[in-house]
Amino acid sequence: MSLTQPLIDEIEVLLRYNLETRLEGIKVHHDAEPALRDATQRLFEKGFVSQGDGGYLTDLGHEVAEHAQAALTILSSK
């Protein structure tokens, strides 16, 4: 499996979530980049976020976002 641009876009959306609280969501506005809007819709269809334009992470989405953020931290370290 390789990273495709759509998967990278989905990861980019997941990285925007604050994992310190489940009471904070995000909103991807209509004037955002189309690739990010599409990625957010796909995350909604996969059951990772509560709304097609972002909203809150679901339980599964929170777990996926934790892994994505951890991978970024590890790969960004020296």
Side-chain angles (χ1 to χ4, degrees), residues 3-64:
L3 288 175
T4 62
Q5 191 59 51
L7 283 175
I8 293 168
D9 294 338
E10 290 176 20
I11 292 168
E12 181 66 35
V13 172
L14 291 170
L15 293 175
R16 295 173 186 236
Y17 279 90
N18 176 3
L19 298 180
E20 298 297 317
T21 179
R22 290 184 181 246
L23 301 176
E24 185 179 321
I26 66 167
K27 168 104 171 134
V28 178
H29 294 278
H30 69 280
D31 58 348
E33 291 183 40
L36 291 180
R37 289 194 323 257
D38 294 344
T40 307
Q41 180 62 39
R42 288 192 305 276
L43 291 172
F44 172 67
E45 291 167 3
K46 292 177 181 180
F48 296 161
V49 298
S50 64
Q51 301 289 322
D53 62 354
Y56 299 96
L57 290 169
T58 63
D59 289 340
L60 179 58
H62 194 273
E63 184 175 340
V64 172

